[in-house]
Amino acid sequence: MNKYFTTTKSKVIALIVGLAIICAIGVFSYLGIQNRPVDPDSEQVVTINIQDGYGTYDVAKELYDQGLIKNITAFRITSKLSGFDGKYLTGYYQLSPSMSAKQMMKAIVNGDVVNIAFTVIPGDSTEQIATKLEEQGICTYDEFMDEIVNGDFDYEWMKYLPKGEKRFEGFLYPETYSYPIGVKAHTIVETMLDEFDNNIDSSYYAKAKKMGRTFYEVIIISSIVEKEAGLEKEKPLVSSVIYNRLKKGMMLQMDSTVSYLLKDNRVNLTNQDIAIDSPYNTYKYDGLPPTPIGNSGASAIKAAFNPEKTDYLFFVLSEKLDGSSNFSKTLEQFNKDKDRYYKAYDEHNK
C-alpha cells in the first residue's frame, strides 16, 4: 500500500470522526435547548396523571399537552439515552414549567407522586371519616362506604364484627395517613385496619375473655371511654365506671351513645334526646350499645382492657370546666357534683 493511499484514508477517517463529533455536539446541543424549562421563573404547579400502560411517548405527550416540555421527540431521545424508558411509574405528579425535562423524568421514574395527609381523629365515626375523605378529594363518600360494607379483608378480629355500614366502626385506627392522589378506597380502608391490627396487643384476646367479655365488647367500651373522658389520665377511671355499672346491672346512661345516635357531639342532652327509642340509647336499654360509637385511639383501647380498680359508679364534668370530671360512688354525691358543674357552666355561658 502506497504512502499516498494511507494518508488519504487517514484523512477520510479523521473527517468522518470529526463530522460524527460535530453531529453529536449538535444533537446534544439541540437536546439541551429543547429540554430546558419552558419557563424558568414560573411558579405554576400542574398535576398530571401517569396511567397504567403509559410508554415514553405517552408520558411525553401528557407533559407536552400540559405545557411542561417543549418537544416530544427531544424528551423521547433523552429518555432513551438516560435509560429511563420502561421505568416510568403510574400516579399523580405535581410538576412545574420551571423544571427541566430531565428533572421531570427523574421525578416520575422515582415515583415522587403527590400525597395528601389525612387524619382520623380519636372518636371519629365511620361516617365522619367518609365525609372528610370526600371533602379532601381523596375518594368519594360512597366509594369508601362501599368498601366498608363489601370490601374483602382478612383479620383475626373480623369474626366478631357485624355486617353493614357499621362493620368496621371502632376499627379504623386514628392516625395521620399519607395517600397518593387517585388512591383506591379499598387501600384507604385497608391501611386503617392494618394500623389497628398493628396496635393491638396479642394478649388482649385472652384478657377480654378473662374479664368476661368478648374482644368486640371491649372495643365498644373503648369507644365510649374515648368519647366520655375529657382528659387522658382519666380514661382508666371512666373505664372503671363502665365496668362497675355493667357488673351491677345498672344502665350505663352515657350521653355519648345518644350523641352518636343523633350524629351530634353535644355535651348536654335534653329529656327529649334521652327518650329516643334505640339500642344506642343507654338511658333506655341495658348493657352496651350494639356497636362501637366511634374509633378509639391507643390510650382509650388500653384503658378499656386495663380499667382502674375503683368503686366509682358515677362521673360528671367538673366545675373547673377544663375537661376534668368528678367521680363518685353514690348518687347523692353525683347529684351534688352535677349541680356544681351546671352552675359553673351557666355562669360561664351568661
Side-chain angles (χ1 to χ4, degrees):
M1 185 179 295
N2 63 44
K3 185 177 181 181
Y4 173 78
F5 181 80
T6 303
T7 302
T8 302
K9 183 178 179 182
S10 298
K11 288 180 178 180
V12 171
I13 293 172
L15 179 61
I16 293 172
V17 171
L19 289 172
I21 292 173
I22 291 171
C23 288
I25 291 172
V27 169
F28 280 104
S29 295
Y30 167 80
L31 294 176
I33 293 170
Q34 294 300 313
N35 287 326
R36 287 174 184 170
V38 172
D39 182 358
D41 300 320
S42 175
E43 295 181 359
Q44 181 186 9
V45 175
V46 180
T47 301
I48 67 164
N49 181 18
I50 304 302
Q51 301 180 34
D52 286 337
Y54 268 23
T56 302
Y57 172 79
D58 302 297
V59 174
K61 188 174 187 306
E62 181 72 26
L63 295 172
Y64 182 79
D65 290 345
Q66 295 293 336
L68 292 167
I69 61 172
K70 298 176 180 179
N71 189 294
I72 291 177
T73 301
F75 184 97
R76 294 177 69 189
I77 294 172
T78 304
S79 176
K80 183 73 172 178
L81 293 173
S82 301
F84 292 150
D85 284 3
K87 296 180 181 179
Y88 293 112
L89 301 178
T90 60
Y92 287 81
Y93 297 83
Q94 286 188 335
L95 306 173
S96 171
S98 65
M99 298 170 67
S100 70
K102 194 73 171 285
Q103 287 175 315
M104 296 182 200
M105 292 177 198
K106 289 180 178 179
I108 302 172
V109 167
N110 292 335
D112 297 335
V113 295
V114 182
N115 286 320
I116 300 175
F118 181 77
T119 301
V120 177
I121 299 171
D124 275 354
S125 69
T126 299
E127 289 188 1
Q128 286 173 320
I129 294 171
T131 298
K132 291 198 296 184
L133 284 166
E134 182 163 281
E135 288 173 349
Q136 289 189 227
I138 299 174
C139 75
T140 68
Y141 179 97
D142 289 341
E143 287 169 344
F144 184 78
M145 293 306 295
D146 181 63
E147 282 297 327
I148 291 294
V149 176
N150 301 309
D152 185 17
F153 304 96
D154 184 21
Y155 300 94
E156 180 180 352
W157 34 263
M158 282 191 66
K159 60 188 176 185
Y160 300 107
L161 309 188
K163 294 182 179 180
E165 292 189 348
K166 298 188 185 299
R167 177 166 67 144
F168 292 128
E169 192 76 279
F171 295 82
L172 303 172
Y173 196 77
E175 184 60 89
T176 296
Y177 299 90
S178 182
Y179 295 119
I181 293 176
V183 64
K184 301 296 184 184
H186 182 89
T187 300
I188 296 172
V189 176
E190 188 170 51
T191 56
M192 294 179 183
L193 299 179
D194 281 346
E195 198 66 20
F196 177 89
D197 199 54
N198 292 336
N199 281 277
I200 289 300
D201 192 307
S202 59
S203 67
Y204 281 177
Y205 298 97
K207 185 169 286 190
K209 187 175 182 180
K210 189 175 180 180
M211 296 164 73
R213 297 284 167 184
T214 66
F215 179 81
Y216 188 63
E217 286 176 328
V218 182
I219 296 301
I220 294 175
I221 290 171
S222 77
S223 72
I224 301 174
V225 171
E226 188 67 77
K227 288 287 193 177
E228 291 284 346
L231 301 179
E232 287 287 310
K233 66 181 181 180
E234 292 183 349
K235 287 180 179 178
L237 294 174
V238 172
S239 182
S240 75
V241 171
I242 294 171
Y243 281 106
N244 290 342
R245 291 179 75 89
L246 290 171
K247 187 175 180 179
K248 286 183 174 293
M250 299 171 66
M251 286 185 176
L252 290 182
Q253 297 182 320
M254 299 286 171
D255 289 357
S256 58
T257 64
V258 181
S259 293
Y260 176 77
L261 176 64
L262 297 171
K263 300 181 182 180
D264 190 335
N265 289 324
R266 276 181 294 154
V267 175
N268 300 321
L269 300 179
T270 67
N271 289 331
Q272 185 178 2
D273 293 333
I274 63 176
I276 296 173
D277 188 19
S278 166
Y280 286 94
N281 185 351
T282 52
Y283 284 90
K284 288 182 69 74
Y285 286 80
D286 291 324
L288 295 169
T291 71
I293 59 170
N295 294 281
S296 315
S299 59
I301 294 173
K302 182 178 180 180
F305 281 95
N306 300 278
E308 196 76 37
K309 295 187 183 300
T310 76
D311 294 325
Y312 293 141
L313 294 171
F314 307 91
F315 66 93
V316 65
L317 288 170
S318 78
E319 67 281 1
K320 297 176 184 177
L321 303 182
D322 61 354
S324 64
S325 295
N326 286 322
F327 294 82
S328 53
K329 301 175 184 179
T330 66
L331 180 60
E332 181 183 9
Q333 183 59 49
F334 167 73
N335 285 329
K336 289 179 181 178
D337 293 338
K338 185 170 66 172
D339 288 342
R340 286 205 302 272
Y341 163 70
Y342 279 115
K343 183 179 179 180
Y345 180 84
D346 290 339
E347 285 290 329
H348 179 75
N349 289 282
K350 276 185 178 180

